[in-house]
Amino acid sequence: MVQNSVAGLRRAFQAVGEPADGKAVLNTTVPGYVLRIEPEQLDLTEFHELVTMGRARLAAGDWAQASELLRRALGLWRGPVLADVSDAGLTWPELAALQGLRLAVHEDCIQAELAMGRDRELIGELESLLEAEPTRERLVAQLMVVLYNCGRQPEALDRYRRTRDLLADRFGLEPGRDLRRLQRAILSHDPALALRLTAAPGGPAEFPSPAGPRPEAAAQQPPRPRPVPAAPARADGRGDDRADGRGAGSTGAPAVEHAFRAPWERVERRPASVVMVRARWTADSGTLAPEHVDHAVKELTAGIRREMAPFGGLVRRAFGSVWLVVFGVPRAHEDDAERALRAALALRRHFEEPGPEPGTAAAATRPVAHLVVGTGEVVVTYDDSAPEPVEVTGQVLDACQHLLTQVPRGELWAADSVVEAGGAGLGFAPVPGVPGVQRPAPSRPDGRGPAGHPAEPPFLERTHELNLLCGAYRDTVRRQLPHLVTVLGEPGIGKTRLIGEFAASLRDGAGPPAPRVLHAGTPAFDAHTPYEPLAGVVRAYTGIRAGAPAAVVLPALTAVVRGLFPHDATGPIVTALAACLGLPAPAAAAQGPDGGAVPREEVLDALRQFLEEAAADRPLVVVLDDLHRAADFVRSFVEDLTVRLGPVALLLIAGARSELLHTRPSWGCAKRRSVLLHVAPLSTAATATVIGAAAGRRHPTPADDRRAALADGNPLFAQAYARAADVGVDPAAAHPPAVLAVAAAQIDGLDRTARSVLRDAAVVGGTLWRGAVAAVSRRDPEEVGRGLELLESRELLRRVRRSGVPGDVEYVFRYAVSRYVALAQLPGRVLVERHLRAADWAALLDVPRPGLLAFHYDRAIALAEADGTPVETMERRAWEALVGASARAAAAGDDALAVSCLDHALDRCPPGEPERVWLVTHHRRIRDSLGTRDRHSRPAVTG
């Protein structure tokens, strides 16, 4: 029988071409047969490789990629392993282990998809898995959380009860501690359930707890990211429009991580803008009842959170009826000051809304608000695993609280600093008799004012990019085919200016038929609709004002659509475009379970038809600025638009920051008629010209060249440094607020590991080495190397071609302000420790660098003195390390370097030190030896 099976197997090999390539061979050996096969030919090997990659993406928080890889791994299964060859009645431990691994992979895959918000899609799959493995507690927990998040709380608790009964009947056991804690969280409607489940790949589930993480878990579990909670659904269908979990003002940066923090990471310094609100109640009959005040406070808290949500403010109850809203914590934005001011104005309007009739109980508890806005540096303290800070302190809070007692009832006051930073065009004016404070002027504008940018700089070194855009437009019109050009660049590099110059050239020089140019941007906050900037294109074409009521929007939209679609039924298109503009669908158009919400696919299809008909009428140029802020589904629509449109003359220009490629690395790849255009930094000469022009000079000066080095080709930075210099501020010592805000936002856009590596690199200096950063951070050099490469790809660092430390990789900070901001986020005591580690690294270099060694000791000593820490031991370590470096230099025969090390050592050795006499003598001896050698090496002078 065995020989017959072997013969059949060999015939099967021959039928498929084996073993001609030598990869699978069936050999006859004593006492039987051996099948030799390459590992890559086994589906089990492919399964393990996919699982490894999928779990790596799961640990990194890349839910979509993790789900795809793990689903591919599970797709290799076609039933039990070796079902057709394993003998009945025999148990193979290997098969049981493999089946257990399959279940664990299935759980990991479900975890990734839960993090993506696929709750309802997973209920059936989870129930099927639990039919086969009813006591698998991780699966039970996942199903309970899914049911809870879908509003099926009784079913979630019933699943727990059934599992508990089954465990008791079969094994005499109670459910595990995690599952019991999850049941209690469901019973108490714990808000932490919004965080869903977190677990290490293949490990036990960890459930949110009202009491915080378990101490033993904090000690044993490595740092890891947690899923991003899905946005709750809203009545107008706008709740789930961020498919990637980001809000309208997202910049594509990673979500805030919930991993455990190292102790030194729990405190950081950062600039912030704050809004402080105090509410006061009065009752006609005297003091209000406590339950009325309690109800009013809770309602007011909900209202403040609702008003602050579009602006990204962190709401805190300070004490009693005082609320604190912080902007710039835990993540900085370039426009935090403007966000704070606009949020305060929105709150003021909220309090000014008409209330209940006087004399009623509701009117008695209607509050009167006092509002103050300020900006300054704060210290932020985090918990071990909390995504938001547990404490925010700083002098700016004290200043706002003091000012809050002076604000008249119902008024808003803002400090001069915050108005200067973000109040351009908002209509603030000084408060008479109160220096340093401003308030909204009676005639303040309701809409958005100017962005506060300086006058346009000279348009330099952009001829090539302008010609490419013009060529793309000519090709679009000539071939009658749509094209997409994505203009990429860092903040302030001139993307918008380039696109504006191109649009101006079309108006001035484009031949007939003249193109129609539509411009729309994605706001950083407070978007009218999740479909921005596509909704802005519709508004620009139809002339509809943002925020206009339905009575104005629908007639205007209907007239335009009927003009574009004269022979079609326009009702569905008008309804879909109205939904795109943020209007709810009419009751007659209500579809599906969402009531009046129009499905996203119908809205996007209507937009596609709208743009195609508009471009068929005459050439159309659509500019979508700041596309990196748009929702993921909007970016997908834009990327695929030119492929799905018909033969029309439509040029689509998408302006975006380089971070678009960080979140979508394949943007534009393999797409027809799609081009990426990177806007490069200006040359040093052109940057100096921009600075001179901003200062009103025709020709740049040497000082302009120094400022140009700080700006490094960025026109926005160049103008900011020019203005700082004009008011007598040294730009190298005090970076302009606009530059600081951009740098802080860029750094906060990094993940936690990259931010940590950047901070340690900043400690090393403006010039740094991989080994030094590894020594400062005490991380694995390979991990540090990957972090530095990432920072280089984000254009925060530049690699030096020839390293000054043999065998190491050298980098420099591209912008001095990036290093300044990274250092400013570290507390003083942490900096002392980091500088001492950097000094220890420098002391062990084969070729001493006395300046670097002295610098780190000097910084550590100065910071320790400022903190009140004794520094005598540090001072002694400093000059002893320099003496040791001198000895190594002398042994290597470099007396000049040895003398330099001793020069630094003498500067740091106090006069009363007993070793100073020897140090002076040794220093003189080496200098004399060096001088004698120089005299002997000189040629004799003849008369």
Side-chain angles (χ1 to χ4, degrees), residues 318-338:
F319 179 76
S321 58
V322 176
W323 287 260
L324 173 67
V325 188
V326 188
F327 297 84
V329 176
R331 186 175 187 275
H333 303 88
E334 301 161 28
D335 48 9
D336 282 320
E338 183 184 356

mmCIF file of all heavy atoms in Angstrom, residues 318-338:
data_model
loop_
_atom_site.group_PDB
_atom_site.id
_atom_site.type_symbol
_atom_site.label_atom_id
_atom_site.label_comp_id
_atom_site.label_asym_id
_atom_site.label_seq_id
_atom_site.Cartn_x
_atom_site.Cartn_y
_atom_site.Cartn_z
ATOM 1 N N ALA A 318 -12.219 73.539 35.819
ATOM 2 C CA ALA A 318 -11.201 73.993 36.762
ATOM 3 C C ALA A 318 -11.714 73.880 38.185
ATOM 4 O O ALA A 318 -11.201 73.118 38.995
ATOM 5 C CB ALA A 318 -10.780 75.426 36.440
ATOM 6 N N PHE A 319 -12.759 74.627 38.521
ATOM 7 C CA PHE A 319 -13.330 74.572 39.870
ATOM 8 C C PHE A 319 -14.687 75.247 39.817
ATOM 9 O O PHE A 319 -14.833 76.337 39.243
ATOM 10 C CB PHE A 319 -12.415 75.274 40.879
ATOM 11 C CG PHE A 319 -12.962 75.262 42.279
ATOM 12 C CD1 PHE A 319 -12.893 74.112 43.041
ATOM 13 C CD2 PHE A 319 -13.573 76.381 42.822
ATOM 14 C CE1 PHE A 319 -13.410 74.082 44.330
ATOM 15 C CE2 PHE A 319 -14.088 76.371 44.109
ATOM 16 C CZ PHE A 319 -14.005 75.210 44.867
ATOM 17 N N GLY A 320 -15.677 74.600 40.411
ATOM 18 C CA GLY A 320 -17.004 75.201 40.466
ATOM 19 C C GLY A 320 -17.542 75.467 39.079
ATOM 20 O O GLY A 320 -17.724 74.561 38.275
ATOM 21 N N SER A 321 -17.807 76.723 38.784
ATOM 22 C CA SER A 321 -18.380 77.109 37.496
ATOM 23 C C SER A 321 -17.335 77.772 36.597
ATOM 24 O O SER A 321 -17.649 78.685 35.847
ATOM 25 C CB SER A 321 -19.556 78.066 37.717
ATOM 26 O OG SER A 321 -19.129 79.210 38.439
ATOM 27 N N VAL A 322 -16.072 77.325 36.696
ATOM 28 C CA VAL A 322 -15.001 77.828 35.838
ATOM 29 C C VAL A 322 -14.519 76.680 34.965
ATOM 30 O O VAL A 322 -14.231 75.586 35.458
ATOM 31 C CB VAL A 322 -13.833 78.404 36.669
ATOM 32 C CG1 VAL A 322 -12.686 78.824 35.759
ATOM 33 C CG2 VAL A 322 -14.305 79.586 37.496
ATOM 34 N N TRP A 323 -14.425 76.944 33.660
ATOM 35 C CA TRP A 323 -13.954 75.954 32.702
ATOM 36 C C TRP A 323 -12.669 76.458 32.054
ATOM 37 O O TRP A 323 -12.527 77.658 31.775
ATOM 38 C CB TRP A 323 -14.995 75.695 31.613
ATOM 39 C CG TRP A 323 -16.178 74.904 32.065
ATOM 40 C CD1 TRP A 323 -16.414 73.579 31.890
ATOM 41 C CD2 TRP A 323 -17.310 75.412 32.769
ATOM 42 N NE1 TRP A 323 -17.607 73.211 32.446
ATOM 43 C CE2 TRP A 323 -18.191 74.331 32.993
ATOM 44 C CE3 TRP A 323 -17.668 76.674 33.242
ATOM 45 C CZ2 TRP A 323 -19.394 74.466 33.659
ATOM 46 C CZ3 TRP A 323 -18.874 76.806 33.906
ATOM 47 C CH2 TRP A 323 -19.722 75.710 34.114
ATOM 48 N N LEU A 324 -11.774 75.531 31.782
ATOM 49 C CA LEU A 324 -10.522 75.836 31.101
ATOM 50 C C LEU A 324 -10.488 75.050 29.799
ATOM 51 O O LEU A 324 -10.687 73.827 29.804
ATOM 52 C CB LEU A 324 -9.324 75.457 31.975
ATOM 53 C CG LEU A 324 -7.941 75.562 31.330
ATOM 54 C CD1 LEU A 324 -7.603 77.018 31.056
ATOM 55 C CD2 LEU A 324 -6.884 74.926 32.220
ATOM 56 N N VAL A 325 -10.248 75.731 28.681
ATOM 57 C CA VAL A 325 -10.117 75.089 27.372
ATOM 58 C C VAL A 325 -8.709 75.370 26.873
ATOM 59 O O VAL A 325 -8.313 76.532 26.752
ATOM 60 C CB VAL A 325 -11.165 75.603 26.373
ATOM 61 C CG1 VAL A 325 -11.129 74.777 25.106
ATOM 62 C CG2 VAL A 325 -12.566 75.584 26.991
ATOM 63 N N VAL A 326 -7.947 74.313 26.603
ATOM 64 C CA VAL A 326 -6.537 74.440 26.228
ATOM 65 C C VAL A 326 -6.378 74.063 24.760
ATOM 66 O O VAL A 326 -6.901 73.028 24.307
ATOM 67 C CB VAL A 326 -5.651 73.552 27.109
ATOM 68 C CG1 VAL A 326 -4.178 73.832 26.839
ATOM 69 C CG2 VAL A 326 -5.968 73.775 28.580
ATOM 70 N N PHE A 327 -5.622 74.862 24.021
ATOM 71 C CA PHE A 327 -5.313 74.601 22.622
ATOM 72 C C PHE A 327 -3.794 74.460 22.492
ATOM 73 O O PHE A 327 -3.044 75.304 22.979
ATOM 74 C CB PHE A 327 -5.811 75.745 21.736
ATOM 75 C CG PHE A 327 -7.305 75.927 21.754
ATOM 76 C CD1 PHE A 327 -7.915 76.672 22.755
ATOM 77 C CD2 PHE A 327 -8.092 75.331 20.791
ATOM 78 C CE1 PHE A 327 -9.288 76.837 22.790
ATOM 79 C CE2 PHE A 327 -9.473 75.481 20.819
ATOM 80 C CZ PHE A 327 -10.067 76.236 21.820
ATOM 81 N N GLY A 328 -3.373 73.392 21.804
ATOM 82 C CA GLY A 328 -1.954 73.091 21.703
ATOM 83 C C GLY A 328 -1.536 71.941 22.585
ATOM 84 O O GLY A 328 -0.370 71.564 22.595
ATOM 85 N N VAL A 329 -2.463 71.340 23.299
ATOM 86 C CA VAL A 329 -2.214 70.213 24.189
ATOM 87 C C VAL A 329 -3.308 69.167 23.923
ATOM 88 O O VAL A 329 -4.488 69.523 23.874
ATOM 89 C CB VAL A 329 -2.262 70.651 25.663
ATOM 90 C CG1 VAL A 329 -2.099 69.447 26.579
ATOM 91 C CG2 VAL A 329 -1.189 71.687 25.959
ATOM 92 N N PRO A 330 -2.972 67.898 23.714
ATOM 93 C CA PRO A 330 -1.640 67.321 23.706
ATOM 94 C C PRO A 330 -0.904 67.453 22.386
ATOM 95 O O PRO A 330 0.224 66.992 22.290
ATOM 96 C CB PRO A 330 -1.933 65.844 23.997
ATOM 97 C CG PRO A 330 -3.271 65.608 23.384
ATOM 98 C CD PRO A 330 -4.034 66.879 23.570
ATOM 99 N N ARG A 331 -1.521 68.068 21.365
ATOM 100 C CA ARG A 331 -0.867 68.218 20.068
ATOM 101 C C ARG A 331 -0.958 69.661 19.623
ATOM 102 O O ARG A 331 -2.019 70.273 19.690
ATOM 103 C CB ARG A 331 -1.522 67.304 19.020
ATOM 104 C CG ARG A 331 -0.791 67.304 17.691
ATOM 105 C CD ARG A 331 -1.408 66.294 16.720
ATOM 106 N NE ARG A 331 -0.612 66.171 15.525
ATOM 107 C CZ ARG A 331 -0.704 66.974 14.476
ATOM 108 N NH1 ARG A 331 -1.590 67.953 14.506
ATOM 109 N NH2 ARG A 331 0.056 66.819 13.416
ATOM 110 N N ALA A 332 0.183 70.191 19.184
ATOM 111 C CA ALA A 332 0.228 71.584 18.752
ATOM 112 C C ALA A 332 -0.231 71.717 17.307
ATOM 113 O O ALA A 332 -0.063 70.806 16.494
ATOM 114 C CB ALA A 332 1.658 72.125 18.891
ATOM 115 N N HIS A 333 -0.844 72.850 17.017
ATOM 116 C CA HIS A 333 -1.199 73.235 15.653
ATOM 117 C C HIS A 333 -0.599 74.603 15.380
ATOM 118 O O HIS A 333 -0.302 75.363 16.307
ATOM 119 C CB HIS A 333 -2.722 73.286 15.462
ATOM 120 C CG HIS A 333 -3.416 72.000 15.784
ATOM 121 N ND1 HIS A 333 -3.857 71.703 17.059
ATOM 122 C CD2 HIS A 333 -3.731 70.935 15.012
ATOM 123 C CE1 HIS A 333 -4.424 70.518 17.045
ATOM 124 N NE2 HIS A 333 -4.371 70.017 15.830
ATOM 125 N N GLU A 334 -0.428 74.911 14.122
ATOM 126 C CA GLU A 334 0.180 76.194 13.762
ATOM 127 C C GLU A 334 -0.719 77.373 14.117
ATOM 128 O O GLU A 334 -0.242 78.499 14.239
ATOM 129 C CB GLU A 334 0.485 76.218 12.259
ATOM 130 C CG GLU A 334 1.422 75.112 11.812
ATOM 131 C CD GLU A 334 1.327 74.886 10.329
ATOM 132 O OE1 GLU A 334 0.999 75.854 9.619
ATOM 133 O OE2 GLU A 334 1.580 73.757 9.873
ATOM 134 N N ASP A 335 -2.007 77.120 14.261
ATOM 135 C CA ASP A 335 -2.973 78.194 14.443
ATOM 136 C C ASP A 335 -3.703 78.066 15.774
ATOM 137 O O ASP A 335 -4.886 78.384 15.864
ATOM 138 C CB ASP A 335 -3.987 78.196 13.298
ATOM 139 C CG ASP A 335 -4.562 76.808 13.029
ATOM 140 O OD1 ASP A 335 -4.312 75.886 13.841
ATOM 141 O OD2 ASP A 335 -5.241 76.639 12.012
ATOM 142 N N ASP A 336 -3.010 77.613 16.817
ATOM 143 C CA ASP A 336 -3.679 77.431 18.104
ATOM 144 C C ASP A 336 -4.225 78.742 18.655
ATOM 145 O O ASP A 336 -5.285 78.779 19.278
ATOM 146 C CB ASP A 336 -2.721 76.799 19.113
ATOM 147 C CG ASP A 336 -2.558 75.305 18.898
ATOM 148 O OD1 ASP A 336 -3.571 74.646 18.595
ATOM 149 O OD2 ASP A 336 -1.432 74.799 19.006
ATOM 150 N N ALA A 337 -3.505 79.843 18.450
ATOM 151 C CA ALA A 337 -3.995 81.132 18.936
ATOM 152 C C ALA A 337 -5.288 81.523 18.221
ATOM 153 O O ALA A 337 -6.252 81.987 18.853
ATOM 154 C CB ALA A 337 -2.927 82.210 18.736
ATOM 155 N N GLU A 338 -5.335 81.325 16.906
ATOM 156 C CA GLU A 338 -6.567 81.639 16.165
ATOM 157 C C GLU A 338 -7.703 80.711 16.581
ATOM 158 O O GLU A 338 -8.854 81.139 16.714
ATOM 159 C CB GLU A 338 -6.313 81.524 14.661
ATOM 160 C CG GLU A 338 -7.526 81.898 13.831
ATOM 161 C CD GLU A 338 -7.308 81.689 12.348
ATOM 162 O OE1 GLU A 338 -6.186 81.326 11.945
ATOM 163 O OE2 GLU A 338 -8.279 81.882 11.582
#
